[in-house]
Amino acid sequence: MKRLNLKVFRIKNNLSQEDMAKKLGISKVYYCRIETGVNDPSFGLLEKFGEIFNYDDVWFLFKKSE
């Protein structure tokens, strides 16, 4: 199951998957696997995402779509 909310957030902010990965300090491959729902982000990565993007509702972005 993909994480469509995360993809929409990324596109609205004019960021590529590589840009997101760099900002989060992870590889592009790992970020892609998170966005496509193959891997789940760690709690630390969720916190980092919220801090970098000043976004409170990170759970919503990382929720898997059906």
Side-chain angles (χ1 to χ4, degrees), residues 1-34:
M1 289 188 226
K2 294 184 179 184
R3 293 185 168 96
L4 297 179
N5 298 328
L6 184 57
K7 183 177 181 178
V8 168
F9 177 87
R10 176 177 60 78
I11 291 170
K12 281 186 177 180
N13 286 280
N14 296 319
L15 296 168
S16 67
Q17 287 182 333
E18 188 169 344
D19 294 334
M20 288 287 286
K22 284 181 183 178
K23 287 184 175 289
L24 294 167
I26 59 177
S27 73
K28 179 187 173 196
V29 171
Y30 183 54
Y31 176 81
C32 183
R33 292 175 64 88
I34 291 171

Side-chain angles (χ1 to χ4, degrees), residues 11-62:
I11 291 170
K12 281 186 177 180
N13 286 280
N14 296 319
L15 296 168
S16 67
Q17 287 182 333
E18 188 169 344
D19 294 334
M20 288 287 286
K22 284 181 183 178
K23 287 184 175 289
L24 294 167
I26 59 177
S27 73
K28 179 187 173 196
V29 171
Y30 183 54
Y31 176 81
C32 183
R33 292 175 64 88
I34 291 171
E35 189 174 288
T36 58
V38 174
N39 285 64
D40 291 322
S42 66
F43 288 113
L45 188 59
L46 289 172
E47 288 177 347
K48 190 172 187 177
F49 185 94
E51 291 170 6
I52 291 170
F53 293 101
N54 196 27
Y55 197 81
D56 293 331
D57 198 9
V58 293
W59 289 107
F60 173 73
L61 293 177
F62 286 91

